[in-house]
Amino acid sequence: MSAEILKTIQENLMKGKANDVKALCEEAVKQNIPVEQILNEGLIAGMAVIGEKFKNNQVYVPEVLIAARAMNSGMTILKPLLASANVKARGRIVIGTVKGDLHDIGKNLVKMMLEGAGFEIIDLGVNVDAEKFVATAREKNPDIIAMSALLTTTMGAMKQTIDAIKSAGLTVKTIVGGAPLTQSFANEINADGYAPDAASAVDVANRIMAAA
Ligand code: B1M
């Protein structure tokens, strides 16, 4: 019975049916299915399928956005219950588009995928300078700082941020991504991870958390 409703949540999330996902989450709570199970085997499982399909070009940005909206709709039911059940996020990630760069569509997709995978996200928005990343890392103690850049001219701000993090003596891990980046650039600037797309960012974040 519980497996059936969780599968229906997944299917409706993948179709982007926000109202149905919300109602199904309410129903699952009424059926006394543990809230963590609804999150993991319903919402997160559905987003994971969307992420894989996105990676393989089987779905595109609009499908991801409507699935993420459905996920958020289900989360309005689960979030308060998760807080009271003291369920921990998979990890805390500070995300932002680096200084000088105003592109945020890709960054927002990465954020949604990470949220969909159960991470707590602190989104600093766009045009975020190294000082802001460092100050937020000090204040919020995240596991990972995730940076996006879409301009060749702003990729350098990633290096400045990683250098500033190291100079500040912080041990927080870093993930970088964005259309002009490559793995070799990420290696060059000593980033802990590079992801070419939003779904891969989840894989990289999971790998970093597992190694911690
Ligand atoms: Co801009 N722009 N833009 N732009 N813009 C590009 C990026 C460009 C390639 C267009 C072109 O010339 N062909 C070019 C960059 C050239 C370069 O440096 N290589 C460019 C330029 C030059 C500029 C301006 C300088 C133009 C000008 O004013 N003369 C200017 C710069 C403003 C600034 O940032 N300071 C500018 C402005 C803008 C708009 C404001 C108009 C708008 C942004 C709106 C917004 O984001 N809110 C815009 C847009 C929309 C684009 C294009 C058309 C689309 C970008 C996008 O959203 N793609 C883009 C051309 C193109 O890509 N076709 C272009 C969809 C998005 C889902 O993909 O962001 O790549 P993307 O994210 C992917 C991956 O890269 C990855 O995952 C995402 C999903 O899979 N990813 C990560 C991204 N971040 C990640 C982080 C990770 C991991 C993966 O870990 C942390």
Side-chain angles (χ1 to χ4, degrees):
M1 182 71 172
S2 75
E4 203 177 295
I5 191 164
L6 295 175
K7 191 157 193 308
T8 314
I9 290 174
Q10 277 181 38
E11 286 164 359
N12 279 274
L13 181 143
M14 289 189 272
K15 289 180 193 152
K17 294 191 171 174
N19 291 338
D20 292 346
V21 169
K22 187 173 175 188
L24 284 159
C25 285
E26 272 168 339
E27 179 54 34
V29 170
K30 273 197 205 130
Q31 288 182 18
N32 287 325
I33 301 173
V35 65
E36 201 170 358
Q37 193 179 357
I38 306 172
L39 176 67
N40 287 330
E41 295 175 28
L43 299 180
I44 291 180
M47 274 309 279
V49 175
I50 286 287
E52 270 311 299
K53 290 191 167 179
F54 181 60
K55 219 191 293 186
N56 298 324
N57 294 321
Q58 291 167 311
V59 299
Y60 299 98
V61 173
E63 285 94 332
V64 177
L65 294 178
I66 60 166
R69 194 188 56 187
M71 165 115 197
N72 287 335
S73 169
M75 282 307 287
T76 60
I77 304 300
L78 301 191
K79 227 177 205 164
L81 302 171
L82 285 166
S84 55
N86 219 0
V87 173
K88 277 202 158 157
R90 199 171 283 189
R92 181 179 295 161
I93 300 182
V94 169
I95 192 167
T97 302
V98 295
K99 187 178 174 186
D101 203 321
L102 304 176
H103 295 86
D104 67 356
I105 299 168
K107 184 266 294 169
N108 291 340
L109 272 179
V110 173
K111 171 187 165 181
M112 285 170 195
M113 286 288 184
L114 289 168
E115 272 176 345
F119 286 92
E120 177 195 343
I121 304 295
I122 299 165
D123 184 359
L124 299 181
V126 296
N127 193 23
V128 183
D129 61 25
E131 292 73 23
K132 176 82 180 164
F133 276 116
V134 168
T136 310
R138 280 212 175 98
E139 191 192 334
K140 306 284 184 187
N141 196 24
D143 301 288
I144 296 170
I145 288 184
M147 288 172 267
S148 177
L150 260 289
L151 300 172
T152 42
T153 49
T154 56
M155 288 162 62
M158 291 179 153
K159 176 170 165 37
Q160 282 165 15
T161 304
I162 290 173
D163 290 349
I165 289 167
K166 308 265 184 246
S167 303
L170 299 171
T171 53
V172 61
K173 301 291 182 194
T174 52
I175 300 179
V176 294
L181 270 76
T182 58
Q183 179 68 60
S184 72
F185 176 75
N187 296 345
E188 227 173 82
I189 64 171
N190 293 318
D192 297 296
Y194 159 72
D197 57 63
S200 308
V202 173
D203 300 337
V204 174
N206 281 334
R207 215 164 49 229
I208 285 177
M209 293 310 295

